[in-house]
Each structure stands twice: as C-alpha cells, then as structure tokens.
C-alpha cells in the first residue's frame, strides 16, 4: 500500500506540475486563477480572455470534464458530511452496545469442568472493521433500514438543507470564488489533510517512531500550520473585508506596466 500511495501521489504531482508550468510559460503572471476562464473564446472576437485563439470544441470539452470532476468530487466530499450530520442530528448510524465485544473484565471464569462455549453472536467481533464486514454480509440491509420509517423524510430534509446552504453560499460568493477556495484550502484542508493526521500519528506512536521520522514530521506540522494561518488570514481578509482596488487593474500579480494591458496577443 505505501508503494501504491507513493506512485499515485507522484503521478498526480507530475500532472499538476506540467499543467502549472505550461500555463505560466505561455502567459506568465497574467494567467487566471482558473485556466478555464482563460481559454474560452469570446463569441464576437473569437479570442480568449488573454488574447489568443483557442479551439471552442476543445474548450467546451475541457469544461465538460471539469463539470464531471466537480460532480464526482462534490459527492465524495459531501457524503461524509451527510453521514455525520445524520448521526449527530437524527441519531442514525450509531452502533449498539451488543455490537462491541464484551471486555475481559466482564467475562466470568468458567467453573471447573465447565465447557467454554464459543460466542456465535454479532458481538464476537473485535474491531470496527469486523463490525463493518459483518454488516456487509447482510447486503447492507441493516443500514438501509435506517433510511425507512420515521427517518425517511427527516434525512431528505436534512440533506436538502445542506445542499441549499452550499448553493446559497456559492451564489453569494461567486465573485470571490478564488478567495473562498484559498480560505477553505488554507484552513480546513491544511488541518484535515496535513496537520492533524501527522499530529495524531505522532501522538499514538511517539515512542515507536525513529528520530529521523519525528524531526521531518514536526517540521512539516510547524511550517504548514504557520503558512496555513497566514493564507487563512489573507484570503479571509480578501473574502470578508476586501480592500478597494483600481478597476483598471486587470492583472494585480504583474508589474505595474503589465497590470492594465494584455501583453500576449496571438493576432499581433
């Protein structure tokens, strides 16, 4: 498994590097935060936002693939949130006491000559993974029953409320999408995907981890935490309390003489 993870992450990183370097090499600091906004041609001039010709069919195909990616990613990301909210708000998906193995302190020592009978109940499992495997054997019927009866309408309403909140937030912040993306990425993604997994790993296995793993792990935690806090502050400021900007500045990341005029023009 570590080899699979390493190869996968390396391959994805190479794809991101190729995409970023190819776009920056063509238009430099005037590149948009979203490449799709830079490649779609204008209906009147036939030129893209950055002044070059692009194949409209390929641009539409790129948008379709991005829509496919967003649809799949949304389902993957929001499903755990649905599950947790159903558990916290509706009381669903909670394990029963008999699902867990009885602790050794609760097991009586058999009397002399008494035969020990094996436990055949579902409670003989020893971990959550075993419980999930037992539930998989029933074809998911146990979990499906939770979505019937009194919960049939409740979970639908709960999910509709979540989707409605997300839609309202996306519409209200549509002009600050990149700032919202930076804010969530710097805060939630940094903590969930980088900082907390390493912290939990160090906390659980501190006495077993060699020093050559501890030092890089601590460095990554500190650096990512500091950078995450900085980007969270800057992106949050741009999102919730933006400074007034000159409307003529089209490319704020460029030098002063390249902020107001496109320097890449395929028709020149």
């Amino acid at each position: 498994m570590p080899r699979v993870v390493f190869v996968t992450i390396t391959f994805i990183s190479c794809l991101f590097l190729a995409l970023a370097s190819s776009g920056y090499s063509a238009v430099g600091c005037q590149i948009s935060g979203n490449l799709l906004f830079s490649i779609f041609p204008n209906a009147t001039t036939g030129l893209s936002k950055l002044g070059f010709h692009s194949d409209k069919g390929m641009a539409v195909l790129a948008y379709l693939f991005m829509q496919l990616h967003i649809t799949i990613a949304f389902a993957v990301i929001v499903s755990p949130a649905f599950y947790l909210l159903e558990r916290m708000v509706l009381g669903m998906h909670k394990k029963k006491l008999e699902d867990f193995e009885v602790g050794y302190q609760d097991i009586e020592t058999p009397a002399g000559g008494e035969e020990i009978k094996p436990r055949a109940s579902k409670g003989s499992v020893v971990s959550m993974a075993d419980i999930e495997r037992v539930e998989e054997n029933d074809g998911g019927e146990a979990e499906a029953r939770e979505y019937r009866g009194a919960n049939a309408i409740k979970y639908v309403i709960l999910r509709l409320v979540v989707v409605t909140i997300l839609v309202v937030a996306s519409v209200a912040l549509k002009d600050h999408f990149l700032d919202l993306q930076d804010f969530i990425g710097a805060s939630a993604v940094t903590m969930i995907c980088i900082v907390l997994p390493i912290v939990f790993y160090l906390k659980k296995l501190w006495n077993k981890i060699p020093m050559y793993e501890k030092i890089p792990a601590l460095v990554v935690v500190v650096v990512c935490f500091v950078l995450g806090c900085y980007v969270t502050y800057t992106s949050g400021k741009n999102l919730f309390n933006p400074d007034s900007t000159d409307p003529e500045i089209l490319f704020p990341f460029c030098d002063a003489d390249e902020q107001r005029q496109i320097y890449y023009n395929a028709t020149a």
Side-chain angles (χ1 to χ4, degrees):
M1 181 57 70
R3 186 180 302 174
V4 173
V5 173
F6 175 77
V7 172
T8 304
I9 296 299
T10 302
F11 179 69
I12 294 174
S13 300
C14 291
L15 292 180
F16 274 112
L17 182 61
L19 181 63
S21 59
S22 59
Y24 187 80
S25 63
V27 295
C29 61
Q30 293 190 347
I31 192 171
S32 171
N34 191 328
L35 289 177
L36 294 178
F37 299 156
S38 302
I39 65 175
F40 199 80
N42 184 279
T44 304
T45 62
L47 300 177
S48 68
K49 183 179 179 181
L50 295 179
F52 60 86
H53 290 283
S54 62
D55 188 285
K56 187 174 182 180
M58 297 303 296
V60 171
L61 187 62
Y63 269 85
L64 290 176
F65 274 109
M66 178 55 69
Q67 180 60 49
L68 177 63
H69 163 70
I70 293 174
T71 303
I72 297 175
F74 180 80
V76 171
I77 293 173
V78 80
S79 292
F82 285 156
Y83 188 92
L84 292 175
L85 287 174
E86 289 166 358
R87 181 170 182 170
M88 292 187 297
V89 178
L90 303 180
M92 301 169 60
H93 314 302
K94 291 185 177 180
K95 301 299 178 183
K96 299 179 181 179
L97 184 61
E98 57 268 20
D99 289 339
F100 300 93
E101 185 180 24
V102 179
Y104 67 89
Q105 68 274 15
D106 297 328
I107 301 177
E108 297 180 358
T109 303
E114 183 179 348
E115 182 181 359
I116 301 177
K117 298 181 180 180
R119 297 175 60 191
S121 65
K122 186 178 178 181
S124 62
V125 295
V126 296
S127 68
M128 291 300 298
D130 294 330
I131 294 175
E132 292 175 357
R133 280 194 289 269
V134 171
E135 292 179 349
E136 288 176 358
N137 293 334
D138 66 1
E141 181 62 26
E143 184 174 357
R145 283 196 296 268
E146 293 190 281
Y147 292 96
R148 302 170 187 160
N151 292 328
I153 301 299
K154 294 180 181 179
Y155 90 88
V156 173
I157 295 176
L158 178 63
R159 294 191 176 194
L160 287 176
V161 169
V162 173
V163 174
T164 301
I165 293 174
L166 294 176
V167 171
V168 171
S170 62
V171 172
L173 300 173
K174 62 182 179 64
D175 295 330
H176 303 280
F177 175 75
L178 295 180
D179 293 327
L180 176 62
Q181 184 178 7
D182 292 339
F183 180 77
I184 296 176
S187 56
V189 176
T190 300
M191 293 298 295
I192 294 173
C193 298
I194 301 177
V195 176
L196 291 181
I198 298 178
V199 170
F200 294 153
Y201 174 70
L202 294 176
K203 181 179 179 181
K204 295 292 292 184
L205 301 174
W206 179 262
N207 296 327
K208 299 180 181 179
I209 302 174
M211 189 59 63
Y212 62 82
E213 287 189 15
K214 292 180 182 178
I215 295 177
L218 292 174
V219 171
V220 170
V221 169
V222 173
V223 172
C224 291
F225 179 77
V226 172
L227 294 179
C229 291
Y230 172 74
V231 179
T232 300
Y233 170 76
T234 55
S235 58
K237 185 175 182 297
N238 295 332
L239 181 62
F240 301 109
N241 188 24
D243 297 329
S244 58
T245 58
D246 187 352
E248 294 183 357
I249 296 179
L250 303 177
F251 310 103
F253 297 106
C254 295
D255 296 333
D257 56 341
E258 297 175 348
Q259 290 182 346
R260 293 175 169 81
Q261 186 177 1
I262 299 175
Y263 65 78
Y264 181 90
N265 194 336
T267 61

